[in-house]
Amino acid sequence: MKPQLGTCYYPEHWPQAQWKEDAKRMADLGLEIVRVGEFAWSRFEAKPQELNFDWMDQAVDTLGSEGLNVVMCTPTATPPRWMVDKHPDMLAVDVNGHVRKFGSRRHYCFSHLGYREESVRIADLMAKHYAKHQAVVAWQIDNEYSCHDTVISYSEAARIEFHKWLEAKYGSIDAMNVAWGNVFWSMDYDSFVQIELPNLTVTEPNPMHSLDFQRFSSDQVVAYNKAQVEAIRQHSDAPLIHNYMGRIVDFDHYKVGDDLDIASWDSYPLGFLVDRTDADDDWKKRFERQGDPDLQAFHHDLYRAVGKGRWWVMEQQPGPVNWAPNNPAPLDGMVRLWTFEAIAHQAEAVCYFRWRQAPFAQEQMHAGLLRPDSQPSAVFDEVAQTASEIKQLGDVQATQAKVALIFDYESCWAWQTQPQGEDFDNFVLSLEFYRGLRRNGLSVDILPPTVDSLEGYSMVLAPGLLVWPARLLSLLETYSGIAVLGPRSGSKTENFSIPDLLPPAIPNFDCKVSYVETFSRSSDRALVSGGAVRTWLETVETKEKVIERTVDGTPVLIGDQQLRYLAGWPNGEAMTRILGNLAVEAGLGIIDMPEGVRRRCTGSHEFVFNHNAQAIDFRGQSIAAAGVVISSLD
Ligand code: GAL
């Protein structure tokens, strides 16, 4: 595969006279892909049924005449003002019962069937119009589902659809009362229509009420996306893409991905370091201008799984953004590093957001590849260099990693619903397992919990999995590698109850959790062999061999055969040591990576990245700050 570069372009923001020059400069820079249209509904349809695609036709022709490939977007993340007049109840409602008004973007509720129909209508019209256009090579549906916290809506539309969803799931209200355990606190219902949405209750709602509402809300995103997929598919065979976000877990991305051809995500490493990691201040300072060394890689691997091997970065940060609490500029070389890092994780394309900085409206302080005066921005030459290096790189071959990590969205919802300790977060737990693997120089594949085969993996990790899928349990029974099961795994049933076997509820593995303690980060429990347990520690009854204990004797790592159970959450030091030891037992070669240096191997190349702001010695070689070393594996 030969990776391509691209950019996000808004022809509607610029005079038509500028388009030709823009297209030419994009091509000269070495870009091949241009994404357009995702916020342009008011220009496609200024008044209901008054359609105008002429201007976009000309923009696409202009881009195409320079050999650029266009990704056309459906504009459904920004319904025009008249739409809200037509469907006043399409707006989402927040947890406090307040309507989320028109005036920015993503102002719709996924459950509003009238708005869903309008979205299908515009998708259908656009697909009919652009399907035969040679320059249009792919479609993006909507923009960043869930950005600005927009999956959960407590609207009347959501309430009505939730009733239907519950009835379809349970069949009878009695069955639902039993499944939820509504005998507790006299919460029994007589009919589905009595059920409110789980906000504004006096104290916490029944966890099954919350969890089912989250499952329902996720299904609404899947259904909304699928409706547009079906509309476009009537006219076009071009690949369908969505651009997901970083650390957004409130819908099941695997299920949305099942209806699409390519997954993509929007990577803003500096903003995400501040507002989407739980790192401490020293770490944030150290990587302020580089971003977290594992967070982007984690998402790359996750979205490779969501796209079943096919994935892009649809928006890559090119300079300071406008939306984080503070917005530093990337260190020189980081935009190049992020680009090669995506390629190392087998991205087909990386597109920079955006071509030219807008001098007006919300994002006027957000850098682009050009300044508002059309002069090159600080990163322009770095992108030119990266583009020419990518051309020389040739094919990057995909390969399966030897280590797999199972990441599950439902577990994120479940542990948010009842965290038991304020720091228990399934995304962070999974990221810390991932970080521990990468600190040992290992390349990782992320898998969904519905995985059908573990063949080729010497080690598989399942941190914090809510419920054991039957297929996964049976795969584990005959697995010949090492399976590392993280704390809280298998600790609930589908109905969010404690299983009869008691957690971790693995048949033929003699281990039962008697009780759980949670504690703050300042109360870490030291381990005999180094490092500590943070946040979560179980007390277990077991006849399996105990490999690691806290200094006061509580078993933490249990089992010496195929299954290893972690009855606590190891901190960074312990995680790296424990996972390194287990990888060696699984027959894998490990490398003690200097902090901030990471590597990944594809089928054809080894990539090493220095995320530090200083040069670092690694394997007898000095790697510059923000440096990338690429070696062919032939
Ligand atoms: C993304 C979004 C873009 C733009 C960008 C700014 O989340 O998709 O439209 O707002 O952030 O960083």
Side-chain angles (χ1 to χ4, degrees), residues 333-356:
M334 280 314 292
V335 173
R336 172 175 174 268
L337 184 152
W338 294 328
T339 307
F340 277 112
E341 186 183 43
I343 291 169
H345 290 257
Q346 297 165 201
E348 294 177 8
V350 177
C351 302
Y352 301 99
F353 181 91
R354 52 185 277 159
W355 173 243
R356 185 188 293 101

Side-chain angles (χ1 to χ4, degrees), residues 22-58:
D22 281 342
K24 194 170 167 339
R25 289 176 82 187
M26 289 174 194
D28 289 348
L29 182 59
L31 307 184
E32 297 176 81
I33 299 170
V34 185
R35 185 193 66 170
V36 296
E38 79 275 20
F39 302 129
W41 199 335
S42 71
R43 298 301 158 109
F44 291 136
E45 193 177 20
K47 299 210 167 61
Q49 312 292 344
E50 268 182 31
L51 290 156
N52 177 5
F53 294 127
D54 295 350
W55 64 274
M56 183 57 99
D57 294 349
Q58 283 159 31

Side-chain angles (χ1 to χ4, degrees), residues 245-553:
M245 269 297 260
R247 200 178 171 173
I248 281 201
V249 294
D250 49 11
F251 66 96
D252 189 328
H253 293 49
Y254 299 120
K255 287 191 181 157
V256 171
D258 282 346
D259 294 322
L260 299 171
D261 303 294
I262 301 175
S264 75
W265 81 288
D266 297 345
S267 177
Y268 291 92
L270 303 194
F272 290 166
L273 174 75
V274 182
D275 79 352
R276 279 166 217 208
T277 63
D278 299 40
D280 61 27
D281 288 347
D282 287 348
W283 186 262
K284 285 186 177 167
K285 182 140 188 45
R286 175 172 181 163
F287 293 107
E288 192 176 30
R289 300 184 61 194
Q290 305 98 284
D292 183 282
D294 297 298
L295 190 74
Q296 283 63 246
F298 181 89
H299 286 93
H300 296 341
D301 290 338
L302 174 61
Y303 289 125
R304 195 172 64 252
V306 170
K308 300 192 190 62
R310 295 199 66 185
W311 79 278
W312 300 10
V313 172
M314 191 61 93
E315 297 180 15
Q316 174 63 62
Q317 172 170 6
V321 299
N322 61 302
W323 44 262
N326 292 297
N327 297 294
L331 201 68
D332 284 351
M334 280 314 292
V335 173
R336 172 175 174 268
L337 184 152
W338 294 328
T339 307
F340 277 112
E341 186 183 43
I343 291 169
H345 290 257
Q346 297 165 201
E348 294 177 8
V350 177
C351 302
Y352 301 99
F353 181 91
R354 52 185 277 159
W355 173 243
R356 185 188 293 101
Q357 181 174 350
F360 49 81
Q362 279 94 329
E363 293 179 353
Q364 53 186 276
M365 299 299 287
H366 192 299
L369 298 183
L370 300 184
R371 301 188 318 206
D373 66 356
S374 293
Q375 293 302 306
S377 72
V379 79
F380 194 87
D381 291 345
E382 193 175 315
V383 169
Q385 179 197 339
T386 309
S388 89
E389 289 172 340
I390 289 172
K391 295 239 154 66
Q392 285 153 28
L393 184 66
D395 267 0
V396 177
Q397 281 162 30
T399 190
Q400 184 178 315
K402 292 269 176 260
V403 181
L405 182 141
I406 296 176
F407 180 75
D408 177 36
Y409 289 94
E410 274 221 358
S411 303
C412 296
W413 311 334
W415 307 143
Q416 271 162 17
T417 299
Q418 212 169 70
Q420 183 65 10
E422 60 182 350
D423 287 331
F424 198 99
D425 179 290
N426 192 53
F427 179 89
V428 178
L429 179 71
S430 304
L431 178 64
E432 292 196 4
F433 270 74
Y434 182 82
R435 201 190 291 290
L437 294 167
R438 302 226 320 149
R439 278 181 164 148
N440 284 295
L442 296 162
S443 303
V444 182
D445 284 345
I446 292 185
L447 302 176
T450 51
V451 55
D452 200 41
S453 162
L454 297 176
E455 216 175 302
Y457 292 112
S458 306
M459 179 151 110
V460 58
L461 299 97
L465 211 56
L466 165 77
V467 155
W468 293 116
R471 174 72 189 148
L472 181 59
L473 259 194
S474 81
L475 288 174
L476 290 178
E477 263 168 37
T478 53
Y479 184 55
S480 57
I482 290 187
V484 187
L485 315 176
R488 224 170 178 176
S489 296
S491 61
K492 301 288 172 188
T493 65
E494 267 292 314
N495 291 334
F496 203 84
S497 298
I498 297 170
D500 294 343
L501 269 184
L502 293 190
I506 305 167
N508 308 322
F509 185 68
D510 187 343
C511 178
K512 282 187 196 307
V513 174
S514 303
Y515 65 93
V516 171
E517 279 182 277
T518 57
F519 38 88
S520 78
R521 296 292 297 277
S522 54
S523 312
D524 286 359
R525 308 279 171 90
L527 292 174
V528 175
S529 309
V533 165
R534 58 162 281 198
T535 306
W536 181 277
L537 180 60
E538 296 164 357
T539 292
V540 297
E541 262 175 31
T542 184
K543 295 205 182 70
E544 305 285 342
K545 190 153 179 200
V546 175
I547 311 295
E548 296 258 351
R549 292 180 188 271
T550 62
V551 289
D552 49 15

